[in-house]
Amino acid sequence: MTPRPESSGSRPKGTAGEKIPEQPTAAQQKSAAKKTAVPKQAAAKKAAPAKATAKKAAAGKTTVGKTVAKKAATKKAAAENTTAEQPAAGTAAAKKTAAKKTAAGKPAAKKATTVKATAARTTAVKAAASKSTAGEAVAGKAAAKSPAAKNTAKKAPAKKATTAESAAATATPAEAVAKKAAPAQATARKAAAKKTAPATGTVAKSGAKKTTAGKAVAKKSAAKKTPARKAPARKAPARKAPAGRAPALEAASAQVVPPEMEVAVSPAVDAADRERLLGGTHHDPHSVLGAHPVPGGIAFRAFRPYALSVTVVAGELRAELHDDGEGFFSGLLPLREVPAYRLIVEYEGTVLETEDAYRFLPTLGDLDLHLIGEGRHEELWTALGAHPMTHEGVTGTRFAVWAPNARGVRVAGTFNFWDGTGHVMRSLGSSGVWELFLPDIGEGELYKFEITRPDGSKTLRADPLARRTEVPPATSSVITSSAYEWGDAEWLARRADAPAHEAPFSVYEVHLASWRPGLTYRQLAEQLPGYVKNLGFTHVELMPVAEHPFGGSWGYQVTGFYAPTARLGTPDDFRYLVDRLHQAGIGVLMDWVPAHFPRDAWALAEFDGRPLYEHEDPLRAAHPDWGTLEFDFGRNEVRNFLVANAVYWCEEFHIDGLRVDAVASMLYLDYSREPGQWTPNEHGGRENLDAVAFLQEMNATVYRRVPGVVTIAEESTAWDGVTRATHHKGPSGFGGLGFGLKWNMGWMHDSLQYMSHEPVHRKYHHGEMTFSMVYAYSENYVLPISHDEVVHGKRSLVSKMPGDWWQQRAGVRAYLGFMWAHPGKQLLFMGQEFAQGAEWSEAHGPDWWLLDPGYGAEPDHRGVRDLVRDLNTVYRATPALWRLDTDPAGFEWIVGDAADDNVLAFLRLDPEGVPVLAVSNFAPVTRQDYRLGVPEDVPAWHEAVNTDAARYGGSDVTHPDPVKPEPQPWHGRPASIRLTLPPLATVWLRPA
């Protein structure tokens, strides 16, 4: 129970510095009862009218609580029965006497919520609509205005509250006293009416240490300010709260603390917790802040920096918490259990009503934390990051971040003016995850995590799993959720019909920000699908879309791995672009960069004060070529971060494939490192075993979860088994990495090197065009002419060709015809499809003006683009060119050693043996009657593509009529044909 304040009226309010008196023992109570029996009688008789008078005076504004009446009845009973030995017995007698006197009827206070006031801290208890006077302190003031009341106030001795007095069970004792005190009430009402009107706005506060919660909480009348009238006793029904708000308290009788409760304790935050909360190093703020059962009732604690006041609202109960300084507020309410409540926080110039962020259970369960710790949470983006949600019936945003080395983490953002002091996150066990649910915070708010490092310094970091960011160079994360409705169900249903290596696969590589500079995702969606479809490409490959701070990196130095760059729009805008591409029948590949990340101080580098995402060994962490940091692939949580990221793009954005950047730099410990700059693996080798395991897991997970996708490795070495299944071990002892396709960097380098030579010298480099067939079936290859080959002084594709302008264009056309016929899939970077002469620049993109009809050389560029369209059209319609790309049965040499002629000829075949004959003449001369051996079972050959056709800008040396074979053996075959080979051209022929 809680001690009751003195009734003399001389100390109506306690102070925060006073000490709570100890509970008297039974013996002390017995002795005191004997010594003060007579004074108690006198005091009770005088105090009863005074209290009854005060009750009526306060009733002009509110209905008085049951507690005052009951205490008066208890004193009356004690005065009549002086033989009482113990407080409990006296209380029982008082109840019995009061019950006899009020047996005829039991009027009760109408809809009055009665609770005990706080103990150990001055807690202001307010009425539901306005601040009202309640309790003995105010009653004493009101009653003192009449002579009787003044006399009573002087003579009434201070008295400790007994166990019986602290119970508020029924209104019977109060009713008995009310009947006895009727004359006094009438007198006091007149005096109080004049003097107590201002007191109706007074906040009834309990003493901090000596003053106790013996006072009743006053409630405002439901309709208007009229004198309280007694009504038949009835229980106040609970009111249903609107959605998102705390429901009303139950009836007061169900909430009052029972007599057996222990002595009240201070509800204030102790010094140690206070210091840690202020310093941002508290690991469990929810154990301190919020509402907690304590001896004496429910302790409410709030940490609201800069607030002027904080009030707890639970139904019709309002209790203003004591200001403990430095933004801390606390109070103790005599309730049985923690109610559903809200906070009214007053700041200078504004008042905010909100939920208490520290009353909620964690939003992450044990399964989430277990999977994160194991590195197996395949939907990590649903657990970490910022997520608008409804939690325990309240809308808000859940923040969660992995920072195992942090001493503390707080959330800062636009919603708290970038001061995270009052939004301290809790640590969820040994998982290293910090979590906080903030009510009333929604989409569009900016945020970062304020992390206290192990050394006590602080750093403000963007969310590693932010799904939306600010537009660079701004670096904040943005709360977001998707409401996008997809329209690509038909595409998704059929994309898994055939694996990528057995299907037509022709890729147009795009840098979205510069393809048409200034266009947003949605504007690109209106132009890009139509353009790509018109050219006949099956897929687009988007250079990295994930957020990156420096545009000059083209997206390859990522800081926001889960966020599409905000330069072009929102995440849903990007979804719209992908959707429109799918609806146009175009697959979407995306460059993905799991090898490294930049050192920006607001991003991943030493995220929580120590190496976290990067390897702890500086030699392993630093990437020697790019000045970036390499991921620690051996750490479960880091591997999980990347594997889940791959799944995220495929599932959340319907990406059809990932082209994994810089795989070679991941696979080798000595990549770009000199001796002494790297440490061998456990077997003494140079293979990065952690990276191997990561890539295998990533591929296996993506293919298992997202049928129909393809992963593509940019791997420039001869690593064995890049596209072999992970469970199939090769000669090296490793299982395959599990990729679907691999960029053929060797073919790209060799063939471009060959084409850059003057034709007269090409015969000395003939092997550069044929060597690729030595290893063509070791992996599933893509033949890439990518962005890397047309920048940084390497010149554009057409500019690599020797000779004059006509020869350069002819060389490009011949090369593209050879490329589309060669085993493997095709990739061509934007701008090369119309023979742009300048290198690509992310600042201005392709030179579209070359296709302006007003430009004199426009036909030259348009002719090359028309050729690309026709190559794709014939390619897609000819299974021999793609069905057996990875099977040696799909290729046969006709002539591969005609180095002096600069001629290459080969057959491509489909599973049924239907051939396509491809012949390339890389000399700038026309070769008449050039004989080539062919299969004898083809009666005639029809020209399908000739890159020298006039419509492409060529010399128009073509074969308009079918070419029939002759029975003359040639090149080891029983029949042959004679062709006129156009200069610098490739010709495709298929059975007529």
Side-chain angles (χ1 to χ4, degrees), residues 663-702:
V663 172
S665 72
M666 302 164 64
L667 292 175
Y668 297 97
L669 295 171
D670 63 345
Y671 185 87
S672 290
R673 293 176 173 90
E674 299 297 328
Q677 294 181 341
W678 62 281
T679 304
N681 62 31
E682 60 194 61
H683 304 296
R686 65 192 187 110
E687 300 83 4
N688 188 337
L689 303 181
D690 293 334
V692 171
F694 156 68
L695 291 171
Q696 290 175 328
E697 180 183 346
M698 181 275 296
N699 282 309
T701 304
V702 168

Side-chain angles (χ1 to χ4, degrees), residues 650-837:
C650 294
E651 291 190 351
E652 291 292 320
F653 294 94
H654 293 195
I655 297 297
D656 301 296
L658 300 172
R659 200 279 294 187
V660 183
D661 184 67
V663 172
S665 72
M666 302 164 64
L667 292 175
Y668 297 97
L669 295 171
D670 63 345
Y671 185 87
S672 290
R673 293 176 173 90
E674 299 297 328
Q677 294 181 341
W678 62 281
T679 304
N681 62 31
E682 60 194 61
H683 304 296
R686 65 192 187 110
E687 300 83 4
N688 188 337
L689 303 181
D690 293 334
V692 171
F694 156 68
L695 291 171
Q696 290 175 328
E697 180 183 346
M698 181 275 296
N699 282 309
T701 304
V702 168
Y703 279 112
R704 171 172 50 82
R705 289 185 61 107
V706 196
V709 300
V710 61
T711 57
I712 307 168
E714 185 212 15
E715 204 283 313
S716 56
T717 73
W719 183 279
D720 177 56
V722 173
T723 59
R724 190 173 59 239
T726 58
H727 58 283
H728 290 165
K729 290 187 177 181
S732 62
F734 289 108
L737 296 182
F739 285 95
L741 297 169
K742 172 184 173 178
W743 273 19
N744 194 334
M745 309 292 282
W747 172 88
M748 176 271 298
H749 178 270
D750 290 346
S751 63
L752 289 179
Q753 184 72 19
Y754 174 86
M755 295 301 298
S756 68
H757 293 299
E758 291 287 343
V760 69
H761 300 302
R762 285 174 178 167
K763 64 181 179 180
Y764 304 109
H765 302 275
H766 195 73
E768 293 174 350
M769 294 297 272
T770 60
F771 180 67
S772 60
M773 291 311 302
V774 173
Y775 60 86
Y777 302 105
S778 61
E779 303 282 2
N780 304 334
Y781 283 116
V782 174
L783 311 179
I785 301 299
S786 72
H787 63 277
D788 277 330
E789 307 315 313
V790 296
V791 292
H792 299 324
K794 295 181 181 179
R795 298 173 295 173
S796 69
L797 183 59
V798 71
S799 297
K800 295 176 189 291
M801 305 299 159
D804 59 22
W805 175 234
W806 189 94
Q807 289 180 334
Q808 286 181 315
R809 288 184 292 114
V812 166
R813 294 194 304 266
Y815 181 73
L816 293 176
F818 170 78
M819 172 182 173
W820 254 252
H822 192 284
K825 311 307 180 182
Q826 297 79 38
L827 178 140
L828 187 65
F829 183 60
M830 65 181 192
Q832 311 315 302
E833 78 274 16
F834 57 84
Q836 173 178 311

Side-chain angles (χ1 to χ4, degrees), residues 434-759:
W434 300 76
E435 179 266 356
L436 179 64
F437 176 75
L438 289 183
D440 305 323
I441 303 300
E443 290 189 59
E445 298 281 4
L446 308 183
Y447 71 98
K448 283 187 177 181
F449 294 114
E450 181 188 291
I451 297 174
T452 302
R453 299 184 179 103
D455 63 0
S457 62
K458 289 179 170 52
T459 178
L460 198 60
R461 298 292 177 130
D463 184 357
L465 279 95
R467 290 167 292 118
R468 184 181 175 189
T469 66
E470 277 191 291
V471 178
T475 60
S476 296
S477 304
V478 182
I479 300 173
T480 187
S481 62
S482 176
Y484 187 76
E485 296 183 4
W486 290 89
D488 61 350
E490 182 180 349
W491 168 267
L492 297 180
R494 60 183 173 84
R495 74 175 178 183
D497 289 349
H501 64 277
E502 295 180 356
F505 197 89
S506 176
V507 183
Y508 182 62
E509 187 183 23
V510 178
H511 181 255
L512 285 178
S514 67
W515 184 73
R516 291 286 175 87
L519 298 189
T520 65
Y521 290 129
R522 289 188 176 269
Q523 292 169 335
L524 284 164
E526 302 305 318
Q527 298 187 31
L528 183 60
Y531 183 81
V532 176
K533 184 176 183 179
N534 177 264
L535 290 181
F537 287 99
T538 64
H539 292 73
V540 293
E541 180 177 314
L542 308 179
M543 290 170 67
V545 175
E547 192 59 89
H548 48 283
F550 177 48
S553 73
W554 313 330
Y556 291 97
Q557 295 194 8
V558 179
T559 52
F561 282 81
Y562 285 79
T565 180
R567 293 171 174 87
L568 307 180
T570 68
D572 276 356
D573 292 341
F574 179 62
R575 287 181 173 92
Y576 179 75
L577 171 60
V578 175
D579 200 359
R580 289 295 300 272
L581 285 163
H582 283 170
Q583 292 173 30
I586 301 165
V588 182
L589 312 176
M590 189 187 83
D591 281 9
W592 184 55
V593 192
H596 60 115
F597 58 91
R599 297 174 180 265
D600 296 77
W602 48 269
L604 298 182
E606 294 191 353
F607 183 75
D608 59 1
R610 291 179 181 168
L612 187 65
Y613 288 92
E614 67 270 38
H615 202 281
E616 62 183 358
D617 181 356
L619 294 179
R620 292 275 300 270
H623 197 292
D625 289 346
W626 303 312
T628 54
L629 296 170
E630 296 183 9
F631 281 102
D632 183 0
F633 302 110
R635 186 160 190 167
N636 288 346
E637 297 90 345
V638 175
R639 190 173 63 250
N640 192 174
F641 173 81
L642 294 171
V643 171
N645 186 240
V647 175
Y648 169 77
W649 288 106
C650 294
E651 291 190 351
E652 291 292 320
F653 294 94
H654 293 195
I655 297 297
D656 301 296
L658 300 172
R659 200 279 294 187
V660 183
D661 184 67
V663 172
S665 72
M666 302 164 64
L667 292 175
Y668 297 97
L669 295 171
D670 63 345
Y671 185 87
S672 290
R673 293 176 173 90
E674 299 297 328
Q677 294 181 341
W678 62 281
T679 304
N681 62 31
E682 60 194 61
H683 304 296
R686 65 192 187 110
E687 300 83 4
N688 188 337
L689 303 181
D690 293 334
V692 171
F694 156 68
L695 291 171
Q696 290 175 328
E697 180 183 346
M698 181 275 296
N699 282 309
T701 304
V702 168
Y703 279 112
R704 171 172 50 82
R705 289 185 61 107
V706 196
V709 300
V710 61
T711 57
I712 307 168
E714 185 212 15
E715 204 283 313
S716 56
T717 73
W719 183 279
D720 177 56
V722 173
T723 59
R724 190 173 59 239
T726 58
H727 58 283
H728 290 165
K729 290 187 177 181
S732 62
F734 289 108
L737 296 182
F739 285 95
L741 297 169
K742 172 184 173 178
W743 273 19
N744 194 334
M745 309 292 282
W747 172 88
M748 176 271 298
H749 178 270
D750 290 346
S751 63
L752 289 179
Q753 184 72 19
Y754 174 86
M755 295 301 298
S756 68
H757 293 299
E758 291 287 343

Side-chain angles (χ1 to χ4, degrees), residues 754-755 757-763 802-804 806-808 810-811 813-814 899-903 920-927 948 955 957 981-985:
Y754 174 86
M755 295 301 298
H757 293 299
E758 291 287 343
V760 69
H761 300 302
R762 285 174 178 167
K763 64 181 179 180
D804 59 22
W806 189 94
Q807 289 180 334
Q808 286 181 315
R813 294 194 304 266
D900 290 339
D901 299 333
N902 294 351
V903 172
S920 296
N921 175 22
F922 292 112
V925 297
T926 302
R927 301 194 182 278
D948 191 52
S955 60
V957 177
L981 300 183
L984 295 174

